[in-house]
């Protein structure tokens, strides 16, 4: 059996450090907004290259609270990718703003700056690019557009912790970066968690208020906030895993390079296309093929895990039926949904397992 993602080996590798982190928190008797969260916020901000990090409950709330902190809401438009996980859209909807989907570049998978330019209107307040699959979007082009039109930009960094654009890390490339620490992420907690990174002290301070019931001082509420706090135990675990993030991302790069080497000559299989200026971290290794169903069956028969990220674009989900954007509205997103397949990937995947996966793929396309 080759799992899609080996989660058990994370604890095996880091057991002494994680156990020590657990004991440290339990023995402290402090479990919410304490020293572990403060330390992780400082360490993660330094890792990303920003002045501030605000720990939050999850990645969705990181996106939503950043928009709320900028007072984006009803009557405003936010540009989002047409092909992404629905959380990106849900954050915009949650503040009452209108999603404006924009298609990816022809080579995919990230939002196309030229199409962003065409989608900007007098009501546009923000752009929310997603670094999909761990491959960063063209943030220099996006920030140039934002500067020209006076727009805010928030990076969705959920799948790309540690990725770089022209040498600068994601999370530091815009007005704010929203991070998810869901367990399967490149740096994941052992439960939910999230954060916003930024250089803006006013944004950081407002986020700290919003995450804590709208309060800075206990029982004094300045506005209607949420309960969205990264807890002490998850912060302690994340501090341990942060020390391994660059190393584990390098391991992912080796897995991706092996896939590239073993599969590059297959005409029926499109491999990831990485721009020269991008340094991805391979949260996912996503191929495209018109024979996806055949390939999934072959991998399953061989005991190999795979997943589709994502089978239904947001505009075709029942959750957004009110937009009345039927099939054909965003053809590039729809084509990706019909053809993408994520192969097994992770920092604990042996290269021999990559060879086994590739052997099954080659046999399938030879048939």
């Amino acid at each position: 059996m080759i799992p899609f993602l080996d989660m058990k080996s994370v604890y095996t590798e880091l057991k002494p450090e994680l156990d020590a982190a657990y004991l440290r928190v339990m023995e402290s008797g402090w479990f919410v907004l304490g020293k572990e969260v403060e330390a992780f916020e400082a360490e993660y901000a330094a890792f990303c290259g920003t002045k501030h990090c605000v720990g939050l409950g999850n990645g969705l709330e990181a996106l939503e609270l950043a928009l709320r902190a900028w007072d984006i809401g009803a009557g405003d438009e936010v540009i989002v990718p047409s092909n992404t996980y629905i959380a990106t859209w849900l954050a915009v909807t949650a503040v009452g703003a209108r999603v404006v989907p924009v298609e990816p570049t022809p080579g995919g998978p990230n939002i196309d700056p030229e199409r962003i330019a065409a989608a900007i209107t007098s009501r546009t307040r923000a752009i929310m690019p997603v670094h999909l699959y761990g491959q960063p979007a063209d943030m220099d082009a996006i920030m140039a557009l934002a500067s020209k039109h006076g727009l805010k930009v928030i990076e969705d960094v959920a799948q790309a912790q540690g990725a770089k654009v022209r040498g600068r890390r994601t999370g530091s490339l815009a007005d704010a970066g929203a991070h998810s620490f869901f367990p399967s992420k490149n740096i994941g907690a052992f439960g939910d968690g999230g954060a916003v990174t930024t250089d803006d002290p006013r944004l950081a301070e407002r986020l700290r208020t919003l995450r804590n019931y709208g309060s800075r001082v206990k029982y004094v509420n300045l506005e209607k906030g949420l309960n969205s706090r990264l807890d002490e135990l998850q912060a302690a675990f994340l501090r341990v895993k942060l020390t391994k993030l660059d190393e584990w991302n390098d391991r992912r790069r080796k897995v991706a390079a092996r896939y590239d080497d073993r599969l590059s000559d297959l005409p029926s299989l499109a491999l990831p296309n990485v721009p020269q200026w991008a340094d991805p971290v391979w949260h996912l290794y996503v191929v495209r093929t018109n024979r996806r169903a055949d390939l999934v069956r072959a991998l399953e028969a061989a005991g190999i895990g795979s997943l589709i990220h994502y089978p239904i674009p947001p505009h075709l989900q029942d959750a957004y039926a009110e937009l009345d954007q039927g099939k054909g509205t965003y053809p590039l997103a729809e084509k990706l949904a019909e053809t993408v397949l994520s192969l097994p990937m992770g920092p604990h995947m042996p290269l021999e397992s990559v060879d086994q996966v590739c052997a099954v793929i080659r046999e399938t396309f030879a048939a």
Side-chain angles (χ1 to χ4, degrees):
M1 296 291 293
I2 298 176
F4 176 73
L5 174 64
D6 180 2
M7 298 290 287
K8 293 182 179 179
S9 293
V10 172
Y11 181 57
T12 301
E13 180 175 346
L14 298 177
K15 185 178 188 304
E17 295 94 333
L18 292 170
D19 288 352
Y22 166 80
L23 288 173
R24 189 171 68 243
V25 173
M26 298 305 291
E27 290 173 354
S28 76
W30 195 288
F31 305 108
V32 178
L33 292 185
K35 292 181 179 179
E36 297 293 341
V37 170
E38 289 179 4
F40 173 72
E41 288 175 336
E43 292 159 5
Y44 194 60
F47 174 84
C48 293
T50 60
K51 295 178 181 178
H52 306 279
C53 170
V54 180
L56 300 167
N58 54 67
L60 172 57
E61 289 171 355
L63 292 166
E64 177 187 342
L65 288 178
L67 295 174
R68 285 189 60 181
W70 287 325
D71 295 315
I72 292 173
D76 296 328
E77 296 178 349
V78 178
I79 292 174
V80 296
S82 60
N83 61 310
T84 183
Y85 184 56
I86 199 171
T88 313
W89 287 38
L90 290 175
V92 178
T93 306
V95 300
R98 176 176 176 264
V99 292
V100 178
V102 168
E103 292 269 71
T105 60
N110 288 317
I111 193 167
D112 188 339
E114 292 185 10
R115 289 185 168 92
I116 291 175
I120 294 172
T121 73
S122 60
R123 293 188 175 184
T124 306
R125 288 285 310 283
I127 307 169
M128 193 179 285
V130 178
H131 304 306
L132 203 61
Y133 310 149
Q135 181 170 312
D138 189 351
M139 292 304 300
D140 290 347
I142 292 170
M143 292 305 293
L145 281 171
S147 177
K148 178 180 178 181
H149 295 278
L151 307 176
K152 294 292 188 181
V153 179
I154 178 168
E155 308 168 70
D156 186 332
V157 196
Q159 300 183 8
Q161 299 104 334
K164 295 179 181 179
V165 173
R166 299 178 177 91
R168 297 173 58 215
R169 289 196 198 268
T170 53
S172 69
L173 305 174
D175 299 290
H179 306 254
S180 168
F181 303 127
F182 186 75
S184 64
K185 305 303 184 186
N186 288 42
I187 176 173
F190 291 86
D192 272 321
V196 169
T197 51
T198 184
D199 284 335
D200 184 345
R202 289 180 297 179
L203 174 63
E205 184 60 26
R206 181 125 192 245
L207 288 168
R208 292 188 181 100
T209 302
L210 286 169
R211 75 177 174 183
N212 191 37
Y213 300 99
S215 173
R216 297 177 192 169
V217 178
K218 195 173 182 66
Y219 303 132
V220 179
N221 301 85
L222 302 175
E223 58 181 313
K224 299 179 181 69
L226 300 177
N227 176 1
S228 180
R229 304 175 297 203
L230 178 65
D231 71 62
E232 286 286 282
L233 190 58
Q234 298 303 340
F237 291 150
L238 287 167
R239 293 182 67 196
V240 172
K241 295 181 78 174
L242 182 57
T243 66
K244 303 290 287 187
L245 181 53
D246 277 335
E247 177 188 336
W248 285 6
N249 283 342
D250 283 339
R251 293 188 205 171
R252 289 174 179 269
R253 291 185 182 99
K254 290 181 173 64
V255 172
R258 189 74 154 220
Y259 276 131
D260 286 347
D261 181 66
R262 298 294 191 266
L263 300 174
S264 61
D265 62 331
L266 293 178
S268 299
L269 195 70
L271 304 186
N273 178 34
V274 180
Q276 188 175 8
W277 45 261
D279 184 8
V281 290
W282 301 106
H283 174 64
L284 301 170
Y285 188 90
V286 181
V287 298
R288 287 177 286 155
T289 176
N290 291 323
R291 296 184 58 191
R292 184 173 68 188
D294 293 338
L295 183 53
V296 169
R297 282 192 294 269
L299 292 170
E300 287 178 349
I304 298 170
S306 65
L307 287 174
I308 299 171
H309 295 89
Y310 299 96
I312 306 174
H315 72 281
L316 297 180
Q317 298 279 5
D318 289 345
Y320 282 96
E322 78 276 5
L323 297 181
D324 195 26
Q325 295 179 331
K327 194 168 179 61
T329 307
Y330 301 105
L332 293 180
E334 292 167 24
K335 183 64 175 177
L336 288 172
E338 293 167 357
T339 59
V340 294
L341 184 66
S342 300
L343 302 180
M345 166 57 73
H348 298 94
M349 184 177 183
L351 295 182
E352 294 78 11
S353 294
V354 180
D355 292 342
Q356 290 178 258
V357 175
C358 293
V360 173
I361 294 172
R362 298 189 71 87
E363 182 179 348
T364 302
F365 286 115

